[in-house]
Amino acid sequence: MGEAIRIIGIDPGLRRTGWGIVESLGNSLRFVASGTVRSDDKAALAMRLCQLHDGLAEVLHAAMPHEAAVEQTFVNKDAAATLKLGQARGIAMLVPARAGLVVAEYAPNAVKKAVIGVGHGDKKQIHMMVKVLMPKATFDSDDAADALAIAICHAHHRQSIAYRLAAQVG
């Protein structure tokens, strides 16, 4: 049947970057770990980005995922906040890429659709479905729960991509 694929989902944020790791084998998902990397909001921006980088690098080194998925940034009304989120997202993409992982990106609506079945929903619905899909899952923040949802989304999408590629070869 093959080996389980370990996936890290990353929900980027400048204050808190959530991460969640699942293993995918066929149609089954297994919770591995989750957590939140926090930056010191009193520190300079460059130092905060370093804190996020170092924290995520530690997680990747310890967990050894095979693939990574990051949520795409949505643009809000506050351009400065969007720019800072984009910088945190750059760190969230850089760390796994530097570790040699392919990094997939998913829009927030795609993550919601994969986890709750529709493209719109609130955080409570997402957290509830993460617990339904993986009853042993624990998370220390909303960001970690969202990161698990991103990992779940990637697990679902990577299977459909693999099946399509196999059908083309066969």
Side-chain angles (χ1 to χ4, degrees):
M1 182 157 169
E3 284 190 39
I5 301 297
R6 187 168 279 202
I7 300 166
I8 184 167
I10 303 172
D11 182 32
L14 187 57
R15 266 187 244 141
R16 293 174 313 276
T17 290
W19 57 271
I21 301 171
V22 301
E23 285 186 347
S24 174
L25 181 60
N27 288 329
S28 69
L29 286 175
R30 184 178 76 81
F31 170 76
V32 175
S34 71
T36 308
V37 176
R38 291 174 168 81
S39 72
D40 178 1
D41 61 355
K42 293 176 180 53
L45 178 61
M47 183 53 61
R48 294 177 74 185
L49 294 172
C50 282
Q51 291 168 348
L52 295 177
H53 175 279
D54 294 349
L56 276 176
E58 262 181 54
V59 170
L60 263 72
H61 180 74
M64 304 293 289
H66 303 110
E67 299 177 7
V70 177
E71 189 169 64
Q72 292 176 340
T73 303
F74 64 92
V75 178
N76 61 30
K77 294 175 185 165
D78 183 353
T82 301
L83 183 58
K84 287 178 183 176
L85 176 59
Q87 291 168 325
R89 188 169 174 278
I91 296 297
M93 295 181 69
L94 172 71
V95 171
R98 294 281 309 197
L101 305 181
V102 173
V103 182
E105 301 175 63
Y106 296 97
N109 286 350
V111 173
K112 290 175 183 174
K113 189 168 186 174
V115 176
I116 62 175
V118 293
H120 301 282
D122 62 22
K123 287 194 180 291
K124 287 182 182 175
Q125 287 176 299
I126 293 168
H127 299 176
M128 182 188 73
M129 282 307 295
V130 166
K131 289 296 277 183
V132 167
L133 293 169
M134 293 182 297
K136 294 182 180 180
T138 59
F139 31 87
D140 64 357
S141 70
D142 287 345
D143 306 290
D146 290 346
L148 284 168
I150 295 162
I152 291 167
C153 175
H154 181 66
H156 291 306
H157 284 273
R158 76 176 301 282
Q159 287 177 350
S160 63
I161 292 166
Y163 287 130
R164 274 187 270 155
L165 290 175
Q168 289 174 353
V169 172

